[in-house]
Amino acid sequence: MGEKYDVLIKGGVLVKGNGMLKADVAVQGERIEAIGEDLSGAQARRVIDASGKYVMPGVIDVHTHPVYEDDLGGLPLVAAHGGTTTVIHYAYAKPGMSLVETIKRFKEEGLSKSYLDFAIHGALFDASSQVEEIPEAFKLGVTSFKMFMTYAKLKWMTDDYYLTAAMDRIAQCGGLAMVHAESGLVTDYLEDRSLKKKEDQKEVFLKTRPDFLEAEAIFRAASISAVMGCPLYIVHLSTKRGARVIQRAREEGWILYAETCPQYLCLTDADLQRSGPLAKIGPPLRTEEDRLALWKAIEEGTIDVLASDHAPKAKKIDDPFFEAPFGSPSAETMLTVVYDEGVNTGRVHPSRLVRLLSENPAKIFGLYPRKGAVEVGSDADLVLFNPHEVWTIRRENQHSGAGYTLYEGRKCLGRPILTIQRGRVIVEGGEIKGKPGEARFLSTRISGVKC
Ligand SMILES: [Zn+2]
């Protein structure tokens, strides 16, 4: 009789960041204990037959907003249904709120409610009063901080003075600045001018947020970050012009990471026309040319991370467009749609997808190789993916409180069927097996690694 394990995943194809191989994976307790071509001599309390399936590291979704229709308990569960095992939430410190107190509240609530291990980014809605709290946030294990370069009318925008001040502080502490790169004041002027003319609101929305303004904001943020010596992370890159700026900044040797989201890789402005307010997100859905350029940017290595920007809002298709809030559900569909649109079309190799969804985020935020890797000693955070299953995304098979999906009726090849975190089954065949309150809070650490 051979070794005795808790879980043995047999006969699957392991998808790692550097390639694929047929291998069995043995889990003991919370960790991966052994990986081998044939561990069939081993005993296990549970044997999972993975023949014909992919065994991948669980998705690490580093862009989630647990403050809308899915909370700190619900959001991780929604994400787990889609093959995610770790989330990094934005702790929303709105104007008038303390950053540190907000982080503490998120951490406490997450520990009691979350189904998945989680980390936290600080989200500074009022940098002028919150910058001073950055060093204290580090002591709580939070080392990345987002600022908006748009939403001036909402009074959430960080101007260049405080963007510089924040980057100064973040650099001193050894952290990472993150920006939503759009040019807020230009957009506001364009919007005021257009709305007076009573044009179609969806058209106005698109026209007032042109690609030039994303490219401009990325260049501005990257320039300031280079001056301040602060690593920078661009969230939800959405345009071809923006990708070019990132490429150029990289050539200069600046430390700059780029993230895009499934919606910019799988949907376009035609979906905005069809779904109206449901598809109102910031930055907006872009043109087909932009969408294809982002896939190209993935191929060329310009984009490091795929994350969901899951922000489920209660919206109706006939809501007045400009009054509808920004954001849509995205966490549960992410792996499925990028696999379908990327791997099934031959645009990306499954290994690159694993790098973008798991390995790179783990590396950037200092969680690797405990997370984001299928290696002996790593946390047993795994997703079983059936590349042969054909299914259709419908509101009825989704779990977000948003009550709709932007992918309604989309037929996909490939589906996550089992999600395991630290050896515990969280979701299996669409059923919840995990429990809230077993999650861990993960401190992040920024190393400035090149992806
Ligand atoms: Zn977001």
Side-chain angles (χ1 to χ4, degrees):
M1 210 174 80
E3 293 293 322
K4 188 138 173 77
Y5 300 111
D6 288 331
V7 181
L8 181 61
I9 302 170
K10 270 175 60 172
V13 172
L14 217 59
V15 187
K16 304 217 269 187
N18 59 3
M20 294 161 77
L21 70 155
K22 222 170 159 292
D24 298 341
V25 178
V27 176
Q28 185 65 38
E30 301 190 339
R31 303 277 169 107
I32 295 173
E33 183 78 14
I35 296 173
E37 219 173 290
D38 183 9
L39 300 178
S40 57
Q43 304 282 307
R45 280 200 298 124
R46 175 159 185 209
V47 178
I48 295 169
D49 178 12
S51 39
K53 317 283 192 303
Y54 289 152
V55 181
M56 302 152 85
V59 173
I60 300 178
D61 188 350
V62 300
H63 192 153
T64 52
H65 300 289
V67 291
Y68 304 113
E69 298 303 312
D70 303 321
D71 67 4
L72 282 148
L75 195 156
L77 189 56
V78 166
H81 277 284
T84 294
T85 49
T86 299
V87 284
I88 309 189
H89 300 304
Y90 283 99
Y92 270 35
K94 292 271 177 74
M97 288 163 67
S98 149
L99 174 67
V100 165
E101 292 311 313
T102 307
I103 290 168
K104 283 183 183 161
R105 187 163 47 79
F106 267 63
K107 201 166 157 177
E108 209 174 295
E109 200 180 321
L111 283 171
S112 75
K113 286 184 174 177
S114 185
Y115 286 75
L116 298 179
D117 291 355
F118 67 100
I120 291 174
H121 311 289
L124 278 59
F125 284 66
D126 179 12
S128 66
S129 72
Q130 293 160 343
V131 161
E132 297 302 317
E133 295 183 86
I134 287 173
E136 194 63 30
F138 270 77
K139 292 184 195 153
L140 299 171
V142 174
T143 60
S144 47
F145 303 88
K146 184 171 85 169
M147 284 141 294
F148 296 107
M149 298 172 78
T150 187
Y151 301 136
K153 277 185 189 169
L154 292 171
K155 305 219 179 306
W156 296 352
M157 187 179 81
T158 298
D159 66 18
D160 292 354
Y161 183 93
Y162 284 104
L163 195 56
T164 310
M167 286 189 193
D168 194 13
R169 272 297 159 90
I170 295 166
Q172 283 166 19
C173 297
L176 180 68
M178 311 173 85
V179 291
H180 174 149
E182 285 189 285
S183 218
L185 294 173
V186 183
T187 289
D188 283 353
Y189 173 77
L190 293 173
E191 214 176 85
D192 291 343
R193 195 185 66 172
S194 291
L195 288 175
K196 279 184 200 141
K197 294 191 204 147
K198 304 252 176 294
E199 293 168 76
D200 174 70
Q201 295 204 337
K202 293 190 287 267
E203 288 299 334
V204 171
F205 181 68
L206 292 171
K207 270 193 347 206
T208 54
R209 289 155 178 83
D211 56 355
F212 277 110
L213 299 188
E214 180 177 73
E216 182 278 326
I218 292 172
F219 184 71
R220 184 156 37 104
S223 304
I224 299 170
S225 79
V227 171
M228 304 316 294
C230 182
L232 179 67
Y233 182 106
I234 306 295
V235 303
H236 52 46
L237 171 72
S238 66
T239 63
K240 181 180 185 176
R241 283 208 158 89
R244 267 198 223 132
V245 174
I246 287 165
Q247 242 165 358
R248 248 194 301 156
R250 287 262 177 78
E251 282 162 18
E252 304 243 18
W254 303 350
I255 300 177
L256 184 64
Y257 302 109
E259 164 202 287
T260 192
C261 309
Q263 44 276 32
Y264 303 112
L265 294 168
C266 303
L267 303 171
T268 65
D269 48 5
D271 294 280
L272 176 71
Q273 296 298 348
R274 215 178 359 258
S275 305
L278 301 185
K280 181 184 174 186
I281 57 174
L285 294 173
R286 302 294 188 176
T287 64
E288 179 67 3
E289 192 187 346
D290 287 309
R291 189 180 80 85
L292 297 176
L294 291 177
W295 279 111
K296 192 97 200 327
I298 284 178
E299 192 188 315
E300 291 167 350
T302 307
I303 291 169
D304 308 291
V305 174
L306 292 178
S308 73
D309 198 4
H310 184 80
K313 310 278 176 86
K315 294 191 276 192
K316 300 249 164 5
I317 198 156
D318 45 11
D319 286 345
F321 191 85
F322 264 90
E323 281 148 48
F326 288 88
S328 296
S330 172
E332 187 172 357
T333 43
M334 173 159 71
L335 173 57
T336 297
V337 296
V338 294
Y339 181 92
D340 195 44
E341 192 70 42
V343 177
N344 292 336
T345 57
R347 288 191 180 107
V348 289
H349 189 274
S351 281
R352 188 182 284 272
L353 215 52
V354 160
R355 290 208 293 280
L356 291 159
L357 288 165
S358 304
E359 198 175 297
N360 290 348
K363 285 180 176 170
I364 293 168
F365 294 97
L367 306 173
Y368 190 85
R370 181 177 159 200
K371 304 287 191 195
V374 184
E375 300 290 348
V376 172
S378 295
D379 280 2
D381 290 3
L382 302 164
V383 56
L384 233 67
F385 188 87
N386 182 356
H388 308 295
E389 182 171 344
V390 178
W391 67 294
T392 302
I393 300 174
R394 299 215 179 275
R395 188 169 69 96
E396 291 75 23
N397 55 35
Q398 296 295 296
H399 299 82
S400 169
Y404 71 92
T405 164
L406 293 180
Y407 302 98
E408 184 68 42
R410 188 188 172 113
K411 203 169 166 192
C412 294
L413 173 62
R415 185 175 201 171
I417 53 169
L418 178 68
T419 306
I420 298 178
Q421 172 149 78
R422 285 188 280 105
R424 299 170 297 129
V425 175
I426 306 291
V427 172
E428 181 170 13
E431 276 182 46
I432 303 161
K433 306 279 183 185
K435 283 202 295 276
E438 293 184 348
R440 298 222 174 106
F441 172 75
L442 306 166
S443 293
T444 55
R445 190 175 43 80
I446 307 303
S447 61
V449 65
K450 279 211 165 66
C451 289

